[in-house]
Each structure stands twice: as structure tokens, then as C-alpha cells.
Amino acid sequence: MHGYSRLGGGARSSSSPPPSPRFRHGQSKGSSCSRGSSKEDTNSMEKLAFLLMSAVFRRRGLLLFAPLLYISGMLLYMGSLSFDVVSIKDGVVVVHKRAPPGSVYRSPQVFEKLWPFMVDEGAQANANATGNALMKSWNLKEHKGWKPCTNKSVPQTELPKSNGFLIIEANGGLNQQRLSICDAVAVAGLLNATLVIPIFHLNSVWRDKSNFGDIFDEDFFIETLGNRVHVVRELPSDILQRFNNNISNIVNLRVKAWSSPAHYLQKVLPQLLEMGAIRIAPFSNRLAQDVPSKIQELRCFANFGALRFSESIRTLAESMVNRMVEHSSHSGGKYVSVHLRFEEDMVAFSCCEYDGGEEEKHEMDIARERSWRGKFRRRHRVIKPGVNRVDGRCPLTPLEVGMMLRGMGYDNTTSVYVAAGKIYKAQKYMAPLRQMFPRLQTKNTLATPEELAQFMGYSSRLAALDYTVCLHSEVFVTTQGGNFPHFLMGHRRYIYGGHAKTIKPDKRKLALLFDNPNIRWEVFKQQMKDMLHHSDQKGIELKKPGASLYTFPMPDCMCKQEEARSRNCSSRKCMMF
């Protein structure tokens, strides 16, 4: 016997999911902390080369000298050896390991070299009253506009009888919870189930005890979805009595990540029909990215239509946006927002090193053990900070973000909003960013302590304030990836005609540039402007197979301007809700 499913058919199962960032350190490729490998071969080669070269200079073996240099040069070129010849003392060649380009944090030395040029250029710009990059960041004329397809409402018809109750547990931070909620709406629609307002799992890293209604507008969510999906605040008492009034007694189905609609219809629906209520916990990333358009439609509507922040968050967030616009009146109310991921936990998880020496290493060891007990101390696991930096996996410091923006043409009159948690050693690391951008604001400067009091200690609620201010900025800068910037980029595409208006830096290139204290200002500026131009070109992107609809809402949630005006908009190209 099969229950009624309003969305019907299945879809192909997608490939295995990428692991969560919080568990990637267990893999060797793409992880911050990878397994160590034996260095015996390399050490033996270096010792042999050392002895041979010492013998050359002691005995002055001219016949051996030329071929030895040739062989050493080839080894260095091929990367087998990595040493520098420093000097010759008492006939002995002194060598040391050479750090690969981009593997060392030298950004403070680069800043010291470039700062005078920034000052001179800023003074000239102010004297000539020339506008900065904020007024011309995006070349939107070259892009064909997209718009949300929201001009078609769902008929006021009664939903079919529900097949049972779906309870899901949303874990992680604000936007990982958002992802789980939207996917749960889609799954509830697929199974014709009644979705119980999701339960928020207390995460050991985020440490936020907020419930759904503390962050999102619960009444609006239920009412807005009323014609599409059954939603209730809590499990009815008669259903709960079947399980001895204990929700933990309801069977928890372990659904694999990125499961296809076919899996839900074949494996989950029979259980739902048999028991009347099921749980799926955890639920993060439990629905495939590529699913039929009917399911994508529900995802779109849940994210962009049904989910809005609670009244207390909306009220303060709107005030903060208005204040930010007022602070930016000199630039027509336009400002730059930066998602700065330089909290202690993020720095620790990245396994990167900066300029704090042994004290920093000790603090990072403590932070890693506190949040990821034992995971970074497994046998044969070594931390490779240089490799991580070269590979672009190190969080950008406030100093590096500031230099990048100044190189792109954002001068010292630019209003900048920094969205962040508690910055690691903020007094030290934030000082140069404030030096470059005196008009810098944060939630702590835009809002009074009294206004923020009700949100203190709740990281997701504070993140919601940051999210709103970033959403309405002219330029958004992402520095470290994660759900926050991914959802913001998609949301900004949705409200800004398909263009994300987002700077996504090439951190591998930045690692090389910031490792060169001798770089010329003109060279650095050109590299930064090329990076800005690349971000402009990538502002409008259609969703590719396997990509997230929440980051790339076209074409599932949006349609071209000319299509939106047409009554005969194709459902394949344009989702209408």
C-alpha cells in the first residue's frame, strides 16, 4: 500500500556528499590537518647532497663540481630537495630549508611597505573628489536581469489528508538550520506529511539554546505555507500518547546524506504510513541537490518566501540597516559588508599559523581540544600550516581584507560593516583594518548595549542581525566559505536581479601576493582589480548539476525579465509560486 504523494516521481540519486567542514580533518586531501608521511627519503637525499657538496669545497674537486651543481639544480627544479645555500664556513656549506612561496604569514611586512602608497592615493582621491570603487563595483548593464517568479499564487484548495507527521532535528549554526528547515518543507511536501516545527539541536560549537520561534517568525511560517504543506507547532497529544508521551520513542530513521526523492518514497513513506509519525535526526543535507522541479519549488518558497526572522530580530536589524545607510550618506547610502571569519575556533580549525609564535600555537591547541576533542591528536596526524596557506585554506586576517579592499580601489571614505563573532585577539588584528577604513562599523557600534542585551549569548540570533545588514549592502565580501556566505550570495542574487554583488577572493593568489614584502603598489593594485573584475563576471551564475539552489537560485527560483512578464512562462525555465 502506498500513501498519497502530491509531488510524485523520483529522481536519480546524487553522488556521495562532501563531508561537513567540521569533519574534514579526517581526510588527507582538502583537510586542514592531514596525515603525515615518512620523510626518510627526503632527509637521506639532503644528507647525501650535503656531504657531497662539503667534499667538493674541501678538496676543491673541480671535475666533480660542475656535474654536482647540475644534478643539484635539477633536483631543486623537480622539487626533490628544498634547501638554500646560505654561506660557506670553514669549507662547509651551510644549508637550510626554504619555505615554499605563499606558505608564511608575511602580510604585516607587506602592509608596512604599501601603507604610504595607500595614504598618498587616498589624499589625492579626496583632493580631486574622485569616487572610489564603491560607486562602480558592478557592471550590471552587461547582465540580463532576472527576477523572482512570485506573481502566481497557489489556488485556495484544501490539502489532501496527511500521511503522518514528520519531525526533524536541525543542527549547526543559523544557516545550516535554515537549510534543514527548507529541505524539510520539501520532503514534507514530497511525502504529503505534516511537518512539525523543527527542533534545534544544541551544538557544541555554536552553543545556542534558541528555539525556532526565537529566530524565525513561527506564525508567518505556518500561515505562508498553509496552501502548500501541512505545518503544526507541535505533535498532537493523541499522537504523542501512542509513544508514551515521549518523542524519543518515535523511531528515528537514519537517512543518508543527499538521499533521492525515490529513497524517501520507497523507504521512508511506508514507515510513515505504518507508524503515523517518524523522526529524522540529524537532518542536515538529507535531500539531494538535483530533484524534480516540484520539490525545488518548495525549497525556493520556503527559503525566500516563508522564512523570515522573528519580530525582535527584524526590528533591530532594520534599524541597523538604516543607521548604516545614514553613516554612508556621502556615498549615496552604499556600503561594503565583510563576513570576517577570524574567530578563535575558526583559526584553530584551519590549522594555520600567523604571527603569534608559541603563545598562539598553545592557544590554538587548547581551542581545538575544547571544540573537537581528540580529533586533532590522532596518531600519525600532523598539522601543516604552510600547505594550508598555499592551498588558500587559511582565514583572511582583518589586515589582509583591508589591503585587498584598498587595492581594489575602496578608499578610506568607504563605509564598511564587519559581520563576525568574537575576533581572535581583536585589539591586535582589527587595528590595521580600522586604520585603513575609519568609517568601520559592527553590530556593537551600530546598536546600543541595551538593544543587543536580549541577543547576547545567542550566536544564531546575533548572526541573523549580521545577515540582514550584509544582505542590503552594495558589496558583500566573503572570506572563508561556509553556509553564511553561501546563503547570502543566493539571497542577494534573488533580490538584486540575479547578481550576487559579492567579492569572492582568490585566496591562493592572495597567499602568494601577501608573501612578497617587495611587491610594488601598482602591481598589487592591478592584481586586486583583476580579482574584483572576476567577481563581477561570476556574479550571475546558473545552478549547475550538484550545486545548491540556495546559492544559485537561477533558474529554479527566478526567471528572465522578459519571461517574468509573459503569462506563458515555461515551468522548466521559471518557477512560479
Side-chain angles (χ1 to χ4, degrees):
M1 176 178 177
H2 296 286
Y4 176 75
S5 171
R6 290 183 289 116
L7 300 183
R12 292 180 300 172
S13 298
S14 63
S15 58
S16 298
S20 168
R22 302 200 178 278
F23 300 99
R24 282 182 189 159
H25 48 267
Q27 298 184 6
S28 59
K29 183 177 180 180
S31 64
S32 294
C33 300
S34 54
R35 295 192 178 277
S37 58
S38 175
K39 299 183 178 179
E40 293 180 1
D41 294 340
T42 302
N43 291 336
S44 299
M45 293 179 67
E46 290 182 3
K47 289 178 181 178
L48 178 61
F50 180 86
L51 292 173
L52 289 174
M53 295 183 72
S54 297
V56 169
F57 285 97
R58 283 175 179 169
R59 301 179 183 179
R60 302 182 184 277
L62 296 179
L63 294 177
L64 184 62
F65 185 70
L68 181 60
L69 282 180
Y70 174 77
I71 294 171
S72 300
M74 290 300 295
L75 288 173
L76 283 170
Y77 177 76
M78 292 183 293
S80 297
L81 299 178
S82 57
F83 57 80
D84 290 326
V85 177
V86 178
S87 62
I88 302 173
K89 185 176 181 180
D90 299 329
V92 177
V93 179
V94 180
V95 299
H96 69 86
K97 298 282 291 183
R98 177 198 301 167
S103 63
V104 180
Y105 179 69
R106 292 195 177 95
S107 299
Q109 293 93 312
V110 176
F111 176 63
E112 184 178 357
K113 167 73 179 300
L114 299 183
W115 173 242
F117 298 97
M118 298 182 197
V119 173
D120 291 343
E121 192 165 279
Q124 292 175 10
N126 293 334
N128 299 329
T130 57
N132 66 21
L134 186 58
M135 309 303 293
K136 48 187 177 182
S137 300
W138 316 116
N139 189 7
L140 299 178
K141 293 181 180 179
E142 294 185 1
H143 304 294
K144 293 183 179 180
W146 292 72
K147 68 176 297 183
C149 293
T150 57
N151 61 333
K152 183 178 180 180
S153 60
V154 173
Q156 297 290 327
T157 57
E158 186 176 350
L159 292 172
K161 182 180 178 181
S162 172
N163 289 329
F165 293 87
L166 172 64
I167 304 165
I168 68 105
E169 187 175 287
N171 58 328
L174 172 67
N175 290 285
Q176 190 169 341
Q177 292 170 339
R178 190 183 190 109
L179 184 151
S180 297
I181 294 167
C182 297
D183 280 0
V185 169
V187 170
L190 170 67
L191 301 176
N192 187 40
T194 298
L195 176 65
V196 180
I197 288 292
I199 301 168
F200 285 178
H201 173 70
L202 180 61
N203 186 276
S204 61
V205 175
W206 298 102
R207 307 182 189 97
D208 189 326
K209 298 180 180 179
S210 298
N211 295 317
F212 185 100
D214 298 320
I215 301 173
F216 300 105
D217 189 330
E218 195 170 288
D219 291 335
F220 183 80
F221 182 75
I222 295 173
E223 181 182 350
T224 307
L225 287 170
N227 295 327
R228 295 171 173 82
V229 174
H230 298 279
V231 183
V232 295
R233 285 185 174 81
E234 57 187 18
L235 202 62
S237 57
D238 60 322
I239 301 297
L240 194 56
Q241 286 176 2
R242 298 184 196 172
F243 303 94
N244 295 325
N245 294 312
N246 187 346
I247 200 171
S248 298
N249 291 333
I250 299 175
V251 64
N252 183 21
L253 302 182
R254 293 290 180 174
V255 177
K256 292 183 179 180
W258 315 120
S259 288
S260 67
H263 175 83
Y264 280 97
L265 293 173
Q266 295 167 11
K267 302 294 184 180
V268 177
L269 181 57
Q271 298 263 40
L272 178 66
L273 291 169
E274 179 182 348
M275 292 178 287
I278 57 170
R279 286 191 303 135
I280 303 179
F283 191 73
S284 181
N285 297 318
R286 288 309 186 265
L287 180 61
Q289 300 283 19
D290 299 319
V291 296
S293 59
K294 291 283 187 179
I295 303 177
Q296 296 291 48
E297 177 180 335
L298 284 175
R299 273 175 159 167
C300 292
F301 187 77
N303 188 44
F304 300 116
L307 269 185
R308 74 179 187 185
F309 293 127
S310 63
E311 184 178 358
S312 60
I313 292 175
R314 290 200 319 274
T315 300
L316 179 55
E318 288 170 7
S319 296
M320 292 170 63
V321 171
N322 291 334
R323 292 166 193 172
M324 197 67 207
V325 170
E326 291 174 5
H327 286 304
S328 312
S329 58
H330 60 284
S331 57
K334 297 180 178 181
Y335 59 92
V336 173
S337 63
V338 178
H339 183 223
L340 189 58
R341 294 309 313 271
F342 204 69
E343 303 91 347
E344 184 178 66
D345 281 346
M346 178 56 66
V347 176
F349 182 78
S350 71
C351 296
C352 295
E353 290 181 357
Y354 293 88
D355 56 353
E358 291 301 319
E359 179 184 356
E360 176 189 303
K361 292 179 182 178
H362 178 66
E363 291 173 345
M364 293 301 103
D365 286 340
I366 293 175
R368 280 188 282 267
E369 184 61 21
R370 180 179 62 243
S371 297
W372 301 278
R373 298 184 184 280
K375 293 180 183 289
F376 290 84
R377 294 186 291 103
R378 291 177 181 171
R379 188 180 179 185
H380 301 310
R381 191 181 299 278
V382 295
I383 292 178
K384 298 181 179 181
V387 173
N388 296 337
R389 186 169 296 281
V390 170
D391 203 31
R393 285 180 282 156
C394 291
L396 293 179
T397 64
L399 168 65
E400 292 171 327
V401 173
M403 284 195 290
M404 178 186 73
L405 289 175
R406 288 299 292 264
M408 289 176 174
Y410 299 97
D411 61 32
N412 60 355
T413 67
T414 305
S415 294
V416 175
Y417 179 82
V418 172
K422 185 178 179 181
I423 298 297
Y424 175 60
K425 293 192 174 180
Q427 186 173 359
K428 169 186 175 181
Y429 285 108
M430 287 296 291
L433 181 59
R434 293 185 185 276
Q435 182 180 345
M436 286 181 275
F437 294 99
R439 297 176 183 265
L440 185 145
Q441 302 285 343
T442 66
K443 53 181 168 285
N444 294 311
T445 61
L446 280 183
T448 66
E450 292 75 20
E451 289 174 321
L452 288 173
Q454 61 180 312
F455 305 109
M456 300 308 293
Y458 299 98
S459 60
S460 291
R461 302 184 209 181
L462 292 171
L465 297 175
D466 280 338
Y467 185 98
T468 305
V469 181
C470 290
L471 180 64
H472 295 285
S473 64
E474 174 65 13
V475 176
F476 172 61
V477 183
T478 173
T479 63
Q480 186 61 18
N483 285 316
F484 186 99
H486 289 162
F487 267 83
L488 253 176
M489 289 172 66
H491 206 156
R492 287 169 65 84
R493 284 188 169 107
Y494 189 77
I495 67 175
Y496 293 128
H499 198 295
K501 291 188 173 183
T502 297
I503 296 174
K504 191 175 180 181
D506 183 341
K507 292 170 64 178
R508 291 181 178 178
K509 179 180 288 187
L510 286 178
L512 295 172
L513 296 173
F514 289 144
D515 193 20
N516 181 10
N518 297 317
I519 191 170
R520 293 170 51 241
W521 174 237
E522 293 300 324
V523 173
F524 182 79
K525 278 201 308 180
Q526 187 57 53
Q527 293 285 344
M528 295 302 99
K529 289 179 179 178
D530 290 345
M531 202 173 290
L532 175 59
H533 178 65
H534 181 72
S535 292
D536 184 22
Q537 289 182 317
K538 302 291 283 186
I540 290 185
E541 283 190 273
L542 301 184
K543 180 183 176 298
K544 298 176 182 177
S548 170
L549 170 148
Y550 305 116
T551 306
F552 304 98
M554 299 95 74
D556 297 285
C557 310
M558 304 179 72
C559 37
K560 288 288 187 67
Q561 293 280 12
E562 57 270 21
E563 293 174 345
R565 289 192 293 266
S566 172
R567 293 184 179 179
N568 298 319
C569 182
S570 168
S571 61
R572 183 178 64 86
K573 297 181 178 179
C574 171
M575 190 283 300
M576 308 288 283
F577 51 71

